Amino acid sequence: MESIHIHGKNRGNILLFALSTCGWCKKAKRLLDEMGVEYSYIDVDLTEGEERRTVENEMYSWNPRGSFPTIVINNSTTIIGFSEDEIRKKIGGTE
């Protein structure tokens, strides 16, 4: 599964499952950018075939509802949907 990596301050392994057309996903990306943290994201709707099935299966293992955005932190914590407060609290670091 190929993700796009954004460089920034290391706050752990942050993976964002998003849709390229999703406004809430764009807000999540914008917030992570604003926070200056390192993260990776996958626009699930831009994947195809076997790659899409693999990405969807990975995302469903973290979020069985399959909603977007889904943020996985350190392979242990999941943030489902866009909640600026929750993202800031769980990822931290605005300095």
Side-chain angles (χ1 to χ4, degrees):
M1 144 173 82
E2 184 148 342
S3 60
I4 297 173
H5 186 80
I6 306 298
H7 295 281
K9 295 175 191 142
N10 185 347
R11 300 290 180 186
N13 183 13
I14 301 168
L15 177 59
L16 167 64
F17 292 95
L19 295 175
S20 64
T21 57
C22 164
W24 295 111
C25 301
K26 290 176 183 172
K27 285 186 171 201
K29 289 177 188 174
R30 199 167 24 244
L31 178 59
L32 293 172
D33 291 343
E34 178 185 305
M35 293 170 64
V37 298
E38 181 176 357
Y39 68 100
S40 297
Y41 71 91
I42 300 171
D43 285 324
V44 177
D45 59 320
L46 299 181
T47 61
E48 295 180 349
E50 186 61 34
E51 180 184 24
R52 178 173 289 184
R53 282 184 286 280
T54 301
V55 170
E56 287 176 339
N57 287 337
E58 173 73 15
M59 191 186 81
Y60 286 129
S61 72
W62 295 105
N63 175 7
R65 292 185 304 173
S67 56
F68 296 93
T70 296
I71 301 173
V72 180
I73 305 165
N74 292 327
N75 289 320
S76 63
T77 302
T78 306
I79 300 172
I80 298 171
F82 177 79
S83 167
E84 182 172 343
D85 291 342
E86 186 176 12
I87 292 170
R88 287 189 184 278
K89 181 179 175 185
K90 291 186 176 174
I91 295 175
T94 55
E95 75 274 9

